[in-house]
């Protein structure tokens, strides 16, 4: 790549960073067509470069397509209609979650709500979700929390009080990973404790051999 | 005799076949509307039924029914395939199993799991030097509120009490109540019919016509209420293009005939014609 071309890319990456990090509309994120307008038609390449820059910082450029299921080979039109965000690449520690303003109760409530809606094929009655949350959260908090999740864009509610996943869940939550974690966490934990027990047993054996020696 | 029997059997077979196909179509429609489980349908059985009766069809509507059954069968097979695909994806989970897992987990466990699948959006809400400069330029160009919302100068008038006469002058109040005015017109109509009328009726234009057009319009307006409220009735003779008004002896009494609307136009020109004594 020539120096001039590199310079042009650097300028575009800078511009893309500004657009993606600073909120331009009521909702965060930038539409593909906006990026095309500002950075030219090679904006997907610019975003790839930016993504590489963000990797060491544990951040990533996330693409959320208009359709629920991401196309295997997105067309120019798919990308133009998609919304791009900068999100955390890895995951947060519980302590860090507190630092960004989430109480454990609220976050657990959000996790339960999202998991439940996913399990109901993306639509669940608010009353059912309230009942589920009410088992472990104070009654007065349940409604407030649900309203907060709706306000933030994690959920949306229709006139019939049915809850659906909204744009923020699609941008921030790896739905498949969440369900897998829920279903297989016990298996994982059991496997981990099994490994731990066998390691301890080996250590004991070694210690016994040494003392014998 | 044998031919007749054969024809009878053929008719019965057709009837039975049509009924069976119609039932199958109804069931498949139920599946398409998502009210019936797609796997309740035995596809092989349906194909067997379609095959069994196909040789009996010779009328267009019968062949149409056969084609409809095949069409719905294709839709149901598609639905079955989608159902299998959905269930086989890794995102499909049994809702009951998942619900059970959710209720088993405590808040901390749930949060820890969620944190592994949660990648929150990074966004800044910070003032930059450039936006600050833009904002200052905008502020400089902004017209002060007192200039933008400048009110037209209105002379200050001391508040006071309006008299009834002043309200009548400004047409806010009328100098008599509407019902009293109608009563007055009713009496006038009865008097005029007695003096100028013929056979208990008076020409409509002779009744409403007045010295000025405004006054005439006002009389037309009041007259419409006289007729509506049963103080008077109209007699329309379409062929002669004549309209008469007749006062009723008992105001408000129900009319024997069905009430209907009579549109009457009164233009300035027709009023002028009436004033000149020409027939309107």
């Amino acid at each position: 790549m020539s120096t001039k071309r590199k310079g042009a890319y650097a300028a575009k990456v800078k511009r893309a960073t500004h657009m993606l990090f600073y909120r331009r509309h009521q909702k965060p994120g930038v539409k593909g067509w906006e990026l095309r307008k500002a950075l030219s038609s090679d904006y997907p390449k610019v975003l790839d470069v930016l993504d590489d820059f963000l990797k060491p910082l544990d951040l990533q450029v996330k693409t959320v397509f208009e359709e629920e299921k991401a196309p295997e080979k997105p067309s120019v039109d798919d990308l133009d209609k998609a919304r791009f965000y900068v999100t955390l690449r890895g995951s947060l520690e519980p302590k860090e979650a507190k630092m960004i303003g989430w109480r454990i109760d609220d976050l657990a409530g959000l996790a339960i709500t999202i998991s439940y809606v996913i399990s109901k094929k993306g639509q669940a009655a608010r009353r059912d979700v309230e009942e589920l949350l009410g088992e472990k959260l104070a009654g007065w908090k349940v409604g407030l929390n649900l309203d907060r999740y709706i306000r933030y864009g994690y959920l949306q509610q229709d006139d019939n009080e049915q809850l659906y996943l909204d744009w923020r869940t699609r941008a921030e939550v790896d739905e498949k990973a969440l369900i897998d974690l829920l279903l297989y966490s016990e298996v994982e934990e059991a496997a981990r404790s099994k490994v731990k027990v066998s390691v301890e047993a080996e250590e004991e054996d070694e210690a016994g051999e040494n003392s014998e020696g | 005799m044998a031919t007749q029997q054969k024809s009878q059997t053929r008719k019965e077979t057709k009837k039975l076949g049509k009924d069976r196909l119609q039932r199958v179509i109804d069931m498949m429609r139920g599946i398409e509307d998502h009210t019936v489980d797609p796997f309740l349908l035995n596809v092989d059985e349906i194909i067997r039924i379609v095959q069994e009766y196909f040789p009996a069809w010779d009328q267009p509507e019968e062949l149409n029914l056969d084609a409809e059954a095949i069409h719905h069968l294709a839709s149901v097979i598609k639905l079955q395939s989608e159902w299998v695909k959905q269930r086989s994806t890794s995102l499909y989970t049994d809702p009951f199993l998942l619900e059970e897992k959710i209720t088993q987990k405590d808040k901390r466990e749930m949060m820890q799991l969620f944190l592994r699948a949660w990648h929150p959006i990074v966004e800044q809400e910070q003032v930059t030097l450039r936006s600050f400069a833009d904002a200052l330029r905008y502020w400089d160009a902004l017209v002060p509120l007192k200039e933008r919302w400048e009110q037209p100068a209105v002379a200050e008038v001391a508040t006071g009490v309006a008299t009834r006469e002043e309200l009548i002058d400004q047409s806010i109040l009328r100098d008599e109540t509407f019902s009293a005015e109608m009563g007055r017109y009713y009496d006038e109509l009865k008097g005029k019919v007695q003096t100028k009328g013929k056979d208990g009726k008076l020409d409509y234009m002779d009744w409403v016509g007045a010295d000025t057009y405004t006054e005439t319009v006002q009389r037309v307006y009041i007259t419409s209420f006289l007729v509506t409220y049963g103080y008077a009735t109209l007699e329309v003779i379409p062929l002669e293009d004549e309209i008469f008004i007749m006062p009723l002896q008992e105001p408000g009494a129900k009319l024997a005939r069905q009430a209907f609307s009579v549109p009457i136009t009164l233009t300035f020109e027709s009023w002028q014609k009436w004033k000149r004594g020409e027939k309107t």
Side-chain angles (χ1 to χ4, degrees):
Chain A
M1 202 182 267
S2 67
T3 322
K4 200 177 167 188
R5 203 168 147 78
K6 264 186 194 170
Y9 258 93
K12 283 182 183 178
V13 169
K14 205 164 125 183
R15 177 99 183 96
T17 309
H18 293 173
M19 289 177 79
L20 288 166
F21 274 85
Y22 289 99
R23 190 189 274 207
R24 297 156 62 81
H25 309 290
Q26 201 184 355
K27 282 184 197 171
V30 187
K31 282 265 189 182
W33 65 265
E34 289 179 278
L35 288 164
R36 184 167 43 78
K37 213 173 147 192
L39 309 170
S40 81
S41 58
D42 64 349
Y43 72 90
K45 209 177 262 180
V46 177
L47 295 182
D48 283 343
V49 176
L50 176 61
D51 193 55
D52 279 342
F53 274 121
L54 293 175
K55 212 175 268 178
L57 304 174
D58 200 24
L59 299 175
Q60 64 180 346
V61 176
K62 172 91 193 248
T63 314
V64 178
F65 291 97
E66 211 172 43
E67 295 80 29
E68 221 161 285
K69 204 177 166 195
E72 274 177 36
K73 280 184 186 168
S75 64
V76 177
D77 193 45
D78 289 332
L79 287 167
D80 277 1
K81 285 180 187 163
R83 194 173 268 275
F84 295 85
Y85 306 89
V86 172
T87 68
L88 193 71
R89 189 181 289 267
S91 54
L92 287 172
E93 290 297 317
K95 273 184 197 170
E96 291 173 313
K98 268 186 205 167
M99 267 162 46
I100 60 169
W102 281 89
R103 282 170 48 85
I104 174 174
D105 279 5
D106 304 337
L107 210 51
L110 178 64
I112 286 169
T113 308
I114 291 175
S115 316
Y116 187 75
V117 175
I118 294 173
S119 78
K120 296 283 178 190
K121 292 184 188 171
Q123 176 187 348
R126 182 179 170 125
R127 203 188 46 235
D128 294 345
V129 178
E130 281 176 344
E131 211 172 282
L132 187 64
L133 292 178
E135 283 178 25
K136 290 179 186 174
L137 291 179
W140 61 271
K141 220 168 182 296
V142 171
L144 281 180
N145 270 17
L146 277 181
D147 289 340
R148 185 180 171 200
Y149 305 149
I150 293 168
R151 207 170 53 247
Y152 283 5
Y154 285 104
L155 301 172
Q156 57 174 309
Q157 183 177 300
D158 68 8
D159 295 340
N160 300 320
E161 301 226 313
Q162 294 289 315
L163 295 175
Y164 305 87
L165 299 180
D166 205 2
W167 65 269
R168 196 181 279 273
T169 303
R170 292 180 60 209
E172 295 186 351
V173 183
D174 185 341
E175 294 171 31
K176 187 182 176 306
L178 178 63
I179 297 301
D180 286 349
L181 283 165
L182 258 173
L183 292 177
Y184 306 117
S185 58
E186 280 156 31
V187 181
E188 241 180 65
E189 273 163 28
R192 241 183 271 150
S193 57
K194 209 173 167 185
V195 170
K196 203 178 165 190
V197 169
S198 60
V199 168
E200 277 168 7
E202 273 175 26
E203 279 171 358
E204 273 171 22
D205 286 348
E206 276 174 22
E209 277 168 18
N210 289 342
S211 62
E212 276 168 22
Chain B
M1 188 69 185
T3 323
Q4 210 176 10
Q5 223 170 13
K6 205 175 171 184
S7 162
Q8 186 67 26
T9 320
R10 191 176 157 77
K11 264 187 186 173
E12 279 169 12
T13 310
K14 272 191 170 190
K15 193 177 179 302
L16 187 72
K18 275 185 198 172
D19 286 348
R20 291 188 78 180
L21 277 191
Q22 195 55 56
R23 274 204 301 275
V24 165
I25 290 170
D26 290 343
M27 188 182 181
M28 290 192 287
R29 277 199 185 125
I31 293 169
E32 283 169 302
D33 295 340
H34 300 278
T35 51
V36 184
D37 182 351
F39 285 93
L40 280 180
L41 192 82
N42 185 341
V43 175
D44 290 340
E45 178 63 14
I46 304 299
I47 292 173
R48 196 191 59 72
I49 295 171
V50 173
Q51 273 179 338
E52 186 186 336
Y53 293 101
F54 182 70
W57 308 139
D58 49 13
Q59 296 301 312
E61 64 269 16
E62 292 164 350
L63 290 165
N64 198 16
L65 195 71
D66 182 83
E68 201 183 337
I70 296 289
H71 169 75
H72 285 292
L73 185 64
S75 302
V76 170
I77 292 171
K78 192 177 169 221
L79 280 176
Q80 286 184 343
S81 138
E82 278 170 9
W83 190 91
V84 170
K85 255 189 222 165
Q86 208 265 332
R87 294 250 159 172
S88 61
T89 55
S90 45
L91 255 186
Y92 176 77
T93 40
D94 184 350
F96 296 107
L97 177 69
L98 203 57
E99 207 176 321
E100 191 63 29
K101 294 272 181 186
I102 293 168
T103 44
Q104 275 171 10
K105 301 243 175 288
D106 68 21
K107 281 187 280 190
R108 185 163 293 279
E109 274 180 305
M110 201 66 209
M111 185 196 73
Q112 278 168 345
L113 282 180
F114 184 64
L115 285 179
R116 289 167 68 185
W118 187 42
H119 311 281
I121 293 171
V122 181
E123 51 180 313
Q124 295 278 338
E125 288 181 359
Q126 186 188 317
V127 173
T128 61
L129 204 58
R130 185 180 166 166
S131 62
F132 212 72
D134 284 347
L136 281 176
R137 270 196 296 277
Y138 168 76
W139 184 258
D140 278 345
L142 199 62
V143 180
L145 276 183
K146 64 177 180 189
E147 285 174 38
R148 272 186 285 161
W149 293 353
E150 206 169 18
Q151 297 287 330
V154 179
E156 207 171 293
V157 180
T159 53
V161 180
T163 63
R164 190 170 183 276
E165 286 69 33
E166 281 169 338
L167 292 176
I168 291 167
D169 277 352
Q170 289 172 24
S171 302
I172 295 169
L173 282 183
R174 295 174 71 91
D175 56 354
E176 59 183 328
T177 62
F178 194 73
S179 57
E181 200 172 358
M182 280 224 302
R184 189 168 60 75
Y185 271 75
Y186 177 57
D187 292 339
E188 187 191 330
L189 177 65
K190 283 195 290 189
K192 264 197 174 174
V193 167
Q194 268 182 357
T195 54
K196 293 182 182 173
K198 198 181 166 189
D199 302 331
K201 58 189 179 186
L202 183 68
D203 182 79
Y204 178 79
M205 210 47 221
D206 288 343
W207 158 244
V208 293
D211 289 342
T212 62
Y213 181 63
T214 313
E215 207 183 326
T216 307
V217 171
Q218 195 181 344
R219 289 179 69 84
V220 167
Y221 176 70
I222 299 286
T223 303
S224 73
F225 283 94
L226 282 179
V227 174
T228 306
Y229 292 143
Y231 285 83
T233 186
L234 294 177
E235 187 181 297
V236 183
I237 305 169
L239 290 177
E240 305 291 327
D241 202 17
E242 283 178 332
I243 304 172
F244 296 98
I245 185 163
M246 292 180 288
L248 293 170
Q249 293 313 312
E250 285 179 53
K254 277 188 182 172
L255 296 173
R257 281 181 299 168
Q258 174 77 41
F260 60 94
S261 300
V262 182
I264 302 169
T265 33
L266 180 77
T267 59
F268 185 69
E269 288 70 32
S270 60
W271 170 76
Q272 278 180 321
K273 269 187 181 178
W274 173 81
K275 274 285 276 180
R276 288 194 296 268
E278 294 170 25
K279 194 169 165 57
T280 54

